[in-house]
Amino acid sequence: SSESTCTAACAVAGLGCVAGAVTSTADCAAAVDWYLASSARRAEIPASPGFSSWQPFDVCGVEQAGNEPWGRVEKSMDTFCSSTPTGPYQAMLTCKCTDPVLDTTAPSLSNVLGSQASPSAVTVTGTVDEASTVYCNVAASGHDHTPANVKAAGFSDSVSSPGSFTVTVTGVSGEGTKSVACVGEDSASNLGATVSSGPDFLFDTTGPTVSSVGGTHSSSTADISGSTDEAGTMYCVVDNTGATVAPSTIKSTGQSTAVSSAGSFTVSVTVADVAGKSVFCVGEDGVGNLGSTATGQFGTPPSDISLSATTVAENAAQGTEVGTLSTT
């Protein structure tokens, strides 16, 4: 039909149509062979047709003209950009399209930023200017990141359009300052020639140090106090004196309080009796580093209380000393 033009066919692939004829019959034969062997061949067209006995148009393809059977036509490769032959005629014709515009530009990254997510992982965020796979890696400060080794590390995020990306880098170790770098690769395999680096950041592998732990007991409540050298969550339990209580056990079974900065803390634990008991506490910082167990005692209640005198003169003035209170 008049609507079946090469302009429309080329546009399906995002290409333009090139008007004119290509006179190489070898190119024409190759194009027809490809079509007949492909899944695009219509069922009613034979896989190996002979040449058409009636060839009314100067075309290249497979045609059925009038009452003739399907046959090959290998004259020239006329490209019908804006019109096609019409009438009692149907054909599969070749079209010449413009060459594809090749993408040779790698993705561009910006706003790369790394931050510690756990004791052994870092979250890297940023933006990319096209759909791509973004690779990131983390190493010690001053490390020579290259596109090849960043990609080889294998930590990536595939984004389907321009915008933000998030890559999680695992297996990070070693306390200190870390560097972060990323590189993008698009669907045309364009890998950035240089990496995009973010600012160095501190990687912490040490949990809070808890000290000066002790407790007091009243009724069924033990008030436990102590000090921490950094912000975090403090966990405490009451257990037998001399027991070994693992930090993870204290965290999973104890009571807790959040501390916003280094300094003192207090945790209340419900316990009926503290005879033969001690206090066990541990701290966890904001990225999940759990410290070591700190142990303390409950305050000892006074004993052997005595008063040096138990009487006072009758009509003695208000405030007169009765005696001296002593205890051990």
Side-chain angles (χ1 to χ4, degrees):
S1 70
S2 59
E3 289 79 20
S4 300
T5 65
C6 284
T7 296
C10 291
V12 173
L15 306 175
C17 179
V18 178
V22 177
T23 57
S24 169
T25 56
D27 288 344
C28 175
V32 174
D33 288 341
W34 175 89
Y35 171 74
L36 293 173
S38 75
S39 59
R41 177 176 59 84
R42 282 168 46 173
E44 68 269 26
I45 300 176
S48 300
F51 282 90
S52 176
S53 59
W54 182 34
Q55 301 181 12
F57 300 106
D58 186 20
V59 294
C60 172
V62 185
E63 69 177 14
Q64 184 184 44
N67 296 321
E68 295 295 319
W70 285 97
R72 300 173 68 115
V73 182
E74 297 179 6
K75 291 187 175 180
S76 65
M77 296 178 69
D78 267 355
T79 296
F80 296 93
C81 287
S82 58
S83 64
T84 55
T86 58
Y89 174 88
Q90 58 180 337
M92 302 300 161
L93 304 178
T94 55
C95 294
K96 181 171 176 59
C97 304
T98 57
D99 291 333
V101 177
L102 299 179
D103 177 10
T104 60
T105 304
S108 176
L109 310 183
S110 59
N111 303 319
V112 174
L113 184 66
S115 61
Q116 187 171 359
S118 77
S120 61
V122 169
T123 298
V124 185
T125 59
T127 56
V128 60
D129 67 344
E130 64 172 300
S132 59
T133 299
V134 178
Y135 299 91
C136 296
N137 198 22
V138 172
S141 178
H143 180 77
D144 182 20
H145 294 280
T146 66
N149 66 38
V150 169
K151 179 180 178 179
F155 304 106
S156 65
D157 182 24
S158 295
V159 294
S160 58
S161 60
S164 62
F165 66 83
T166 301
V167 176
T168 300
V169 180
T170 59
V172 183
S173 62
E175 180 118 3
T177 304
K178 302 294 186 183
S179 61
V180 58
C182 300
V183 67
E185 184 176 41
D186 61 21
S187 59
S189 299
N190 294 305
L191 183 68
T194 59
V195 298
S196 297
S197 300
D200 286 1
F201 61 96
L202 182 63
F203 191 78
D204 179 14
T205 61
T206 305
T209 298
V210 175
S211 60
S212 304
V213 174
T216 60
H217 183 256
S218 176
S219 184
S220 61
T221 300
D223 290 322
I224 302 170
S225 61
S227 296
T228 174
D229 67 345
E230 64 174 300
T233 302
M234 306 298 125
Y235 300 89
C236 294
V237 298
V238 175
D239 208 328
N240 295 327
T241 298
T244 300
V245 188
S248 58
T249 301
I250 299 173
K251 177 182 176 180
S252 63
T253 63
Q255 299 298 311
S256 65
T257 186
V259 181
S260 60
S261 61
S264 61
F265 66 86
T266 301
V267 177
S268 294
V269 177
T270 300
V271 57
D273 182 18
V274 296
K277 306 288 186 181
S278 293
V279 175
F280 300 85
C281 296
V282 70
E284 183 180 47
D285 63 21
V287 295
N289 291 307
L290 198 61
S292 300
T293 300
T295 304
Q297 305 298 317
F298 282 98
T300 304
S303 61
D304 297 331
I305 299 175
S306 63
L307 188 61
S308 62
T310 58
T311 62
V312 66
E314 187 177 1
N315 297 322
Q318 184 176 356
T320 299
E321 183 178 297
V322 176
T324 301
L325 183 68
S326 62
T327 181
T328 59

